[in-house]
Amino acid sequence: MATFMDVHTGMTGITDEQLAAAHQADLAIEAEEGVHFKQAWADPESGTVYCLSEAPTADAVQRVHERAGHPADEVHPVPLSV
Amino acid sequence: MATFMDVHTGMTGITDEQLAAAHQADLAIEAEEGVHFKQAWADPESGTVYCLSEAPTADAVQRVHERAGHPADEVHPVPLSV
């Protein structure tokens, strides 16, 4: 397992409820891809959402997001952290 | 206080030691700007670093990073999180 940060853009105006619903949609299917979404942060003004996950591959992260209806614009492995 | 995610690019090849040193340089002066850097994640391959902070303003986040010698490319308020 590795750690990934993925980024969604174009989510301008996203609400707390929409973020929670999107996260819940990921959580509902993530186990099928061996992924766990740990945290997400959103900037409604710029429409940017960051998701932190543990997953076997970046493709697995993207598969969950695609199946949940919100593909990421970027998925980065982040092997280093402090 | 608000929560911010900032992004640095062009850090290709960053090492664990370099990330720790950069974070330490922020921590050493952050109190002067009322900022606290909580976590950071790095992708050495794409050269992207994400920093999560609590701060009074985005400008305060950037001032710490600039004074520490590594200005961010983007600083986003992230008022929503799950």
Side-chain angles (χ1 to χ4, degrees):
Chain A
M1 294 288 274
T3 305
F4 294 86
M5 183 75 81
D6 68 77
V7 184
H8 305 252
T9 58
M11 309 289 276
T12 309
I14 187 171
T15 65
D16 218 8
E17 291 71 23
Q18 288 169 330
L19 180 65
H23 186 60
Q24 197 54 49
D26 290 329
L27 294 183
I29 59 171
E30 65 179 14
E32 296 165 22
E33 302 286 356
V35 175
H36 178 52
F37 286 95
K38 299 170 73 176
Q39 284 181 271
W41 300 267
D43 173 11
E45 196 173 317
S46 71
T48 314
V49 177
Y50 302 92
C51 301
L52 184 70
S53 63
E54 297 287 332
T57 65
D59 284 349
V61 173
Q62 185 65 294
R63 275 197 299 275
V64 176
H65 276 335
E66 283 176 351
R67 290 176 55 199
H70 45 248
D73 294 275
E74 300 173 33
V75 183
H76 290 285
V78 284
L80 310 183
S81 65
V82 289
Chain B
M1 294 289 273
T3 305
F4 294 87
M5 184 75 81
D6 68 78
V7 185
H8 305 251
T9 59
M11 310 288 277
T12 308
I14 187 171
T15 66
D16 219 8
E17 292 71 21
Q18 288 169 331
L19 179 65
H23 187 59
Q24 197 54 50
D26 289 330
L27 295 183
I29 60 171
E30 65 179 15
E32 297 165 22
E33 302 285 355
V35 176
H36 178 53
F37 286 95
K38 298 170 73 176
Q39 284 181 272
W41 300 268
D43 173 11
E45 196 172 318
S46 71
T48 313
V49 178
Y50 301 92
C51 301
L52 184 71
S53 62
E54 297 287 332
T57 65
D59 285 349
V61 173
Q62 185 66 294
R63 275 197 299 274
V64 175
H65 277 336
E66 284 177 348
R67 290 176 55 197
H70 45 248
D73 294 275
E74 300 174 33
V75 183
H76 289 285
V78 283
L80 309 185
S81 66
V82 288

